Amino acid sequence: MKIFLLRRLLAAVPLLIVVTFLASAMLTLSPGSFLDEARMQPNISPEFIARMERVYHLNSNNIFERYWYWLWPALHGDLGNSYASQAPVSSLIGERVVNTLLLTGSALIFSWLLAIPFGVFAAVYRNRWADKLSGFISYFGLSIPSVFFSLLAILFAAKTGLFPVGGIHDQANWDDMNSGQRFADTLWHLVLPTVVLGTIGMAQYMRQMRSEMIETLSQDFIRTARAKGLSWRRVVFRHALGNAINPLVTLFGFSLATLLSGALLTEFVFAWPGLGTLIYDSLIKKDEPMVMAAVAMLTLMLVVGNLLADILLAIIDPRIRLE
Amino acid sequence: MKLFVFTFLIAALTFVSSCSGGKNKTTGTPDPPFQGEAPQEAYISQSEPGIYGGQLVIAQPNDMQKFNVITADDVASTDILWYHVFRCLVDYRNGDKNPDYDSGLCTRWEASPDAKEWTFYIRKGVRWSDGEPFNADDVLFSYDVVKDESHDEKSRVRTPIADIFNEGKDTNGKTLYPELQKLDDYTVKFKLHQPNGAFLDNIFNLWLIPKHKWEQAFRNGKFNEAMSINEDPANVVGLGPFRIKERTAGQRVVLERNPYFWKVDKKGQRLPYLNRIIFIIAKDFNTITLKFQAGELDVMDRVRAEEFATVKQMESPDIKVEDVGVSLDSYWLVLNQNPGVNPQTGKPLVEPWKLKLYRNQKFRQAISYAIDRDGLVNTVFVGRAVPIYSVITPGDPWYSDDVMKYPHNIDLAKQMLAELGLKDTNGDGFLEDAEGHTVEITISPNAGNSQRVSTAAFIAGNLQEVGIKATSNPLDFALISQLLSSKFNYDAIVLGWRSGVPPGPPNIKNTILSSGQNHSFFPQQKTPSTEWEARLDELMKKIDETADQAERRKMFAEVQRIWSEQMAEINLVAERLAVAYKNKFGNAAPTPLPPRFTWNSEEIYLKK
């Protein structure tokens, strides 16, 4: 187990290096830089721009040199300061992480809590109305683009007034609320984006759950279990589900990786103050230290998510051993 | 399960609805309360006296990046920090009938007749927002920080403000800055190396910061990181009517009353009236409109052309949608007139036959006549814009109407093009020059800006009507910026200038001077390439050196006249601006100059 963990973490190092190098190379080679906006402002002098280019090392177009300027301090634990705010990138990411986790976490719980029972029921009542309904929901979730779904939700909120038009809090009155009101207010703001994100995730997991379940239910050991007199309920939930869930655990690992990255468009439309909006803004502005830190972090999340999935799998399936 | 979720939701809704609107009323008592005494030389505001209490909620499309007013260069930070939290030695009254400088932290100022010595008399008894007294030492410190001459390149204060004070270099190559002297605790004098009649424009960029807070960071070469966005807001001490109470990333910035503010109203009540100003970060303009419609915002300080009709419908006794006039920001088309060559390939930046046309005044004028500006206004800007023919817009206090105008005239344009020897020789419907080159123009707007993209397409259509093979080719903003500032190998670009505050010749110097970075059609010239550019340079220099405002105005009118005659840039339109706001605010005077609604935030009050 220890060796397995060590090996996997060591394998993550070259992955991180390759991914960050590619990101840095693309930032270097794509046209434009953080200073473009300043360049187009009539009251900022070329001398100032030139000085900032030197300070940020933007005057070099050598991808290796530019990568080194990022890598060397990063190896010493310094991810740099954001160009835009001059504050350490880690602190800027830290400010946002909680908000994103709140949204993606609740969406994850929403989608898994609904996907597994729906998938199981769809498989058990195959080709009946329950299956058709869940099929409709999952096709809806799979085919609707998240931006469009988000916009529909916003429109719904604006027209009915039942939900807030984006945001995470009631910003104007937040200061005057007590903690109970703050909790309720956050929850109220959370409903629509959670439904949007959750439905999209749920669709995928539910299809997977359904097909795994159908396959398992048609196997011999299920018939045997039924034949020896076990109740249907016990067969489905204990014997069939336990066997059908393995691939979903792997999927769950991947979905952990999307916890920090998966909500960019939804965050944008809902004006949710999370990492997605921060990363998007940094990319648009070419705030390189921010983008690099985000890329490194998201890669790391993917590695860790996969690792967690493997460990989970070993725990629930005794046939799997981690070597 | 479902029932549970539903009841929970209802509970949440009741919670929220029961608490909203609590503090949004006037209470008559200031909260937080004022501290200390009003300064012995308090500024007496001439506005109508109001009542204390309440808050103002306004949207900000970008997230705030810095608390550091000296190094801040992003729109959100400057929108929030300038005027509201920090002040300069003088104030500028954006929304007055004739916007002009006002005695703010100075009781008065004097300029020597040669405009080389400027003396400022500081108001006595003024305190910073943490209660410490403000005096000449703070002015000296702020100026030292801005021009920072004591650190190496890496830790030197990164501020564009230094350039504003830059007076060129001396014989040793050292940058010259006006010398600042402290005459006594409440008097300072700037001694300039060259006359500058518009020195107040410079002073209005010197945002004052407290020495007692930031001296340490500056001495240690850590000023760039000081007052970062993660700093405790209590340390962000300024002289504005408000101070930062709280900032939450991506959500909001809350300003609260500066309890030591140095202005009083005619009744002797201390200002400001409002308890709080809340900036809500809302990235998307559609979201801002929805939030205003839902009543979450008190003010929408920019109603875009395309949504003006919708917002205007909301007008009621409670909501006012006010046309505040013409924007100072302009849209233009530039033809590349740069005769240089690409240093890497040795090829000319613009093909020689084309350059000959672009550098011909008559050709540019013909293009200008061919463009249907009124049509552009009515389609792309749904009527919410005005045609312009020179470098600044009618919204600018420096605008002169005595410029050459180009009403849409296809026949005249065709005739002028024919006089240049352009005719359709091969019968394809497009003009050719004497050597048989078809006159083609590729117009590039920046792809992210839908108005500019539509403008470019519209102009291309206009030019085709007079026989020019024009097409529109939107490019990424970063690419356009590179083309205009370093690569120079473009054909034609549609873009706009954003005006600074206060408007005036120094603000647009970089565009007009032939050596300027933003002299878009042929930037960074060593010596002016044409006589009229030489004349423009000469006029701009004279304007700088003249203290007499009427004289400066006359010269700047000539600049505008030459610009329009030459069609250096082909100026197109300027938007009409509107501000929508709830009618419950007293002393509201929205203006085209940002901050459009809150420039006089200390005078605004919530009516009973």
Side-chain angles (χ1 to χ4, degrees):
Chain A
M1 183 75 176
K2 260 187 204 155
I3 297 174
F4 169 79
L5 274 181
L6 198 68
R7 209 168 57 204
R8 287 289 292 267
L9 288 177
L10 276 180
V13 173
L15 181 73
L16 263 177
I17 289 185
V18 169
V19 170
T20 49
F21 175 72
L22 283 178
S24 157
M26 279 189 269
L27 282 173
T28 308
L29 295 176
S30 60
S33 78
F34 176 74
L35 298 168
D36 286 335
E37 202 140 329
R39 243 184 221 121
M40 295 311 294
Q41 258 166 286
N43 53 355
I44 296 184
S45 75
E47 289 83 27
F48 180 70
I49 306 264
R51 175 158 82 95
M52 295 320 288
E53 265 186 341
R54 286 193 299 275
V55 170
Y56 294 153
H57 305 295
L58 291 176
N59 44 1
S60 153
N61 263 335
N62 183 324
I63 50 175
F64 298 102
E65 197 182 331
R66 284 274 284 275
Y67 183 56
W68 185 246
Y69 282 127
W70 177 78
L71 187 65
W72 186 244
L75 287 177
H76 293 78
D78 174 18
L79 288 172
N81 286 1
S82 149
Y83 292 164
S85 74
Q86 297 296 328
V89 289
S90 46
S91 71
L92 296 174
I93 289 178
E95 286 179 335
R96 308 274 192 134
V97 151
V98 178
N99 296 339
T100 292
L101 283 180
L102 179 66
L103 174 59
T104 49
S106 63
L108 201 69
I109 293 169
F110 175 88
S111 55
W112 282 99
L113 277 187
L114 292 181
I116 293 185
F118 272 38
V120 172
F121 281 120
V124 172
Y125 300 106
R126 184 140 69 113
N127 293 332
R128 309 249 294 273
W129 69 268
D131 184 22
K132 296 211 168 106
L133 180 70
S134 74
F136 174 78
I137 295 175
S138 62
Y139 280 120
F140 175 79
L142 280 178
S143 49
I144 192 165
S146 64
V147 174
F148 184 60
F149 197 6
S150 307
L151 285 171
L152 280 182
I154 287 274
L155 194 68
F156 171 77
K159 290 289 171 199
T160 61
L162 284 178
F163 292 100
V165 186
I168 186 173
H169 302 309
D170 177 354
Q171 307 291 0
N173 296 305
W174 185 253
D175 288 338
D176 308 324
M177 293 184 192
N178 60 38
S179 48
Q181 287 169 327
R182 287 184 176 189
F183 177 73
D185 181 61
T186 311
L187 208 64
W188 186 44
H189 281 78
L190 200 56
V191 174
L192 284 184
T194 301
V195 169
V196 168
L197 264 185
T199 309
I200 290 167
M202 178 183 81
Q204 190 193 353
Y205 308 139
M206 191 162 72
R207 297 307 294 171
Q208 188 77 28
M209 189 71 235
R210 179 181 175 275
S211 61
E212 291 298 331
M213 201 63 189
I214 286 174
E215 202 189 315
T216 318
L217 282 175
S218 66
Q219 283 179 7
D220 290 345
F221 76 92
I222 296 291
R223 205 174 335 125
T224 317
R226 279 296 280 161
K228 74 177 186 191
L230 284 180
S231 74
W232 182 232
R233 178 182 292 242
R234 196 168 159 78
V235 171
V236 169
F237 286 106
R238 172 95 197 130
H239 294 251
L241 186 59
N243 279 289
I245 206 135
N246 279 3
L248 280 127
V249 174
T250 316
L251 264 186
F252 182 73
F254 280 119
S255 71
L256 283 184
T258 63
L259 266 181
L260 290 185
S261 65
L264 197 151
L265 293 171
T266 313
E267 278 188 5
F268 194 77
V269 177
F270 278 97
W272 193 267
L275 271 181
T277 27
L278 181 71
I279 295 172
Y280 174 82
D281 285 351
S282 319
L283 258 177
I284 293 296
K285 281 186 297 211
K286 293 201 86 178
D287 190 341
E288 291 181 22
M290 274 307 311
V291 176
M292 292 301 290
V295 166
M297 186 189 65
L298 295 179
T299 316
L300 210 62
M301 279 300 284
L302 195 71
V303 172
V304 172
N306 273 335
L307 191 62
L308 281 181
D310 285 346
I311 294 171
L312 261 181
L313 214 52
I315 293 172
I316 63 166
D317 189 340
R319 286 173 301 182
I320 297 174
R321 291 225 158 70
L322 301 177
E323 306 258 317
Chain B
M1 173 78 180
K2 262 182 201 155
L3 196 72
F4 171 73
V5 171
F6 195 70
T7 33
F8 212 86
L9 254 172
I10 298 292
L13 288 171
T14 15
F15 253 134
V16 173
S17 50
S18 63
C19 64
S20 59
K23 281 275 171 97
N24 219 345
K25 302 211 170 65
T26 45
T27 48
T29 43
D31 169 35
F34 290 100
Q35 288 176 330
E37 293 296 311
Q40 59 256 47
E41 289 184 336
Y43 175 104
I44 298 164
S45 161
Q46 293 309 308
S47 62
E48 173 201 340
I51 28 178
Y52 291 117
Q55 64 185 18
L56 186 150
V57 186
I58 190 166
Q60 169 53 244
N62 300 289
D63 203 1
M64 193 180 190
Q65 300 289 352
K66 289 174 182 172
F67 288 152
N68 190 328
V69 70
I70 302 289
T71 62
D73 45 11
D74 62 291
V75 185
S77 305
T78 51
D79 272 4
I80 294 170
L81 296 175
W82 294 359
Y83 289 80
H84 311 117
V85 183
F86 291 93
R87 285 288 167 102
C88 304
L89 278 172
V90 294
D91 277 354
Y92 187 79
R93 294 190 61 88
N94 301 19
D96 277 1
K97 200 148 177 278
N98 298 308
D100 204 354
Y101 289 107
D102 183 33
S103 65
L105 286 162
C106 294
T107 47
R108 65 199 170 93
W109 62 82
E110 278 163 10
S112 63
D114 64 356
K116 279 175 89 168
E117 286 186 7
W118 290 75
T119 315
F120 296 85
Y121 299 90
I122 297 170
R123 211 170 277 286
K124 288 184 180 122
V126 172
R127 286 174 186 278
W128 291 94
S129 60
D130 62 353
E132 294 292 317
F134 160 71
N135 59 36
D137 289 331
D138 293 306
V139 181
L140 262 65
F141 173 67
S142 304
Y143 187 60
D144 273 347
V145 169
V146 161
K147 65 181 168 64
D148 188 2
E149 289 170 313
S150 51
H151 296 104
D152 62 1
E153 181 164 279
K154 211 163 160 58
S155 49
R156 227 172 95 200
V157 177
R158 292 170 198 160
T159 173
I161 305 175
D163 293 331
I164 295 169
F165 286 92
N166 187 331
E167 293 186 298
K169 289 191 164 52
D170 67 6
T171 42
N172 301 325
K174 192 172 171 294
T175 309
L176 289 173
Y177 292 105
E179 194 187 319
L180 177 58
Q181 290 175 343
K182 173 178 165 183
L183 301 187
D184 62 54
D185 272 354
Y186 296 97
T187 318
V188 293
K189 184 194 249 176
F190 284 89
K191 282 182 149 175
L192 282 58
H193 297 89
Q194 293 150 11
N196 182 356
F199 192 64
L200 287 183
D201 290 1
N202 300 28
I203 288 299
F204 194 67
N205 281 288
L206 181 63
W207 301 96
L208 299 170
I209 52 169
K211 185 178 182 182
H212 65 274
K213 278 279 176 194
W214 304 112
E215 193 179 17
Q216 189 77 23
F218 177 60
R219 298 276 167 256
N220 297 340
K222 295 256 178 264
F223 190 80
N224 290 315
E225 292 82 29
M227 274 191 273
S228 90
I229 201 72
N230 297 315
E231 183 71 49
D232 177 2
N235 288 330
V236 184
V237 171
L239 291 164
F242 292 87
R243 60 185 186 187
I244 298 170
K245 176 163 186 268
E246 181 216 330
R247 166 241 165 220
T248 316
Q251 300 182 39
R252 69 178 168 277
V253 180
V254 181
L255 306 185
E256 65 172 3
R257 164 182 298 109
N258 166 4
Y260 297 97
F261 194 57
W262 40 273
K263 284 190 179 181
V264 296
D265 66 12
K266 282 186 279 191
K267 279 178 137 172
Q269 304 183 93
R270 292 178 70 181
L271 301 185
Y273 301 114
L274 291 172
N275 286 340
R276 286 193 294 223
I277 300 180
I278 300 179
F279 290 87
I280 294 183
I281 315 287
K283 301 243 170 236
D284 182 65
F285 280 104
N286 296 318
T287 314
I288 294 178
T289 314
L290 284 174
K291 278 185 184 291
F292 184 70
Q293 284 174 338
E296 288 175 39
L297 296 175
D298 293 324
V299 180
M300 205 174 143
D301 70 345
R302 183 176 169 214
V303 181
R304 289 170 306 156
E306 63 262 38
E307 66 197 3
F308 180 76
T310 327
V311 176
K312 186 79 183 167
Q313 278 175 2
M314 294 175 61
E315 204 153 46
S316 72
D318 296 331
I319 289 175
K320 204 165 171 185
V321 183
E322 194 173 325
D323 197 318
V324 294
V326 178
S327 162
L328 280 79
D329 304 350
S330 64
Y331 284 75
W332 41 258
L333 162 76
V334 62
L335 302 173
N336 192 352
Q337 294 154 50
N338 195 328
V341 290
N342 184 331
Q344 269 136 42
T345 59
K347 277 194 193 145
L349 296 168
V350 189
E351 291 166 72
W353 66 271
K354 203 178 230 183
L355 186 70
K356 215 169 84 192
L357 286 181
Y358 285 179
R359 287 191 69 86
N360 189 320
Q361 177 190 11
K362 202 170 196 173
F363 181 78
R364 297 193 300 264
Q365 286 182 336
I367 300 274
S368 193
Y369 277 119
I371 294 172
D372 179 8
R373 290 180 175 79
D374 288 316
L376 188 63
V377 165
N378 287 327
T379 53
V380 177
F381 295 89
V382 281
R384 302 283 308 155
V386 293
I388 56 167
Y389 306 97
S390 190
V391 67
I392 60 170
T393 81
D396 196 309
W398 286 80
Y399 174 75
S400 150
D401 197 46
D402 178 31
V403 293
M404 183 160 170
K405 294 183 179 166
Y406 299 83
H408 187 214
N409 191 335
I410 296 183
D411 295 330
L412 183 58
K414 277 184 175 164
Q415 187 197 327
M416 289 172 83
L417 291 172
E419 284 165 18
L420 287 167
L422 302 174
K423 47 182 168 264
D424 185 10
T425 45
N426 61 8
D428 64 352
F430 295 113
L431 300 172
E432 279 85 33
D433 71 355
E435 296 156 41
H437 301 286
T438 305
V439 184
E440 278 180 70
I441 300 183
T442 311
I443 304 170
S444 299
N446 63 313
N449 186 319
S450 61
Q451 274 169 337
R452 289 189 194 141
V453 172
S454 313
T455 301
F458 186 90
I459 295 173
N462 283 161
L463 297 185
Q464 286 185 1
E465 281 171 39
V466 297
I468 292 170
K469 196 172 178 183
T471 47
S472 155
N473 174 34
L475 298 174
D476 186 54
F477 180 78
L479 213 61
I480 291 209
S481 160
Q482 224 173 35
L483 286 174
L484 281 173
S485 60
S486 56
K487 295 218 156 132
F488 310 125
N489 56 343
Y490 62 94
D491 194 10
I493 282 176
V494 164
L495 214 66
W497 292 136
R498 224 180 69 198
S499 163
V501 178
N507 236 307
I508 199 131
K509 209 155 79 174
N510 248 327
T511 305
I512 294 172
L513 289 180
S514 62
S515 56
Q517 164 96 345
N518 297 93
H519 194 66
S520 52
F521 49 95
F522 180 14
Q524 300 162 19
Q525 302 175 32
K526 297 244 158 34
T527 50
S529 68
T530 57
E531 268 171 42
W532 57 271
E533 281 174 290
R535 175 69 184 150
L536 287 180
D537 286 1
E538 185 190 346
L539 281 168
M540 289 308 281
K541 188 159 178 284
K542 268 200 199 150
I543 291 174
D544 257 0
E545 292 168 358
T546 312
D548 179 33
Q549 292 297 318
E551 195 61 29
R552 297 177 74 214
R553 246 165 223 287
K554 222 174 93 192
M555 288 188 283
F556 199 56
E558 193 187 335
V559 169
Q560 294 172 59
R561 172 94 204 155
I562 295 175
W563 192 271
S564 68
E565 282 166 359
Q566 292 294 338
M567 277 285 100
E569 280 166 1
I570 299 169
N571 304 90
L572 302 166
V573 294
E575 259 184 87
R576 295 194 74 87
L577 294 173
V579 173
Y581 59 100
K582 291 187 184 158
N583 224 347
K584 60 185 182 181
F585 293 105
N587 287 331
T591 147
L593 278 178
R596 299 200 182 95
F597 191 82
T598 51
W599 65 272
N600 61 341
S601 57
E602 66 267 36
E603 294 167 358
I604 294 177
Y605 68 94
L606 196 57
K607 290 183 204 160
K608 269 224 175 85

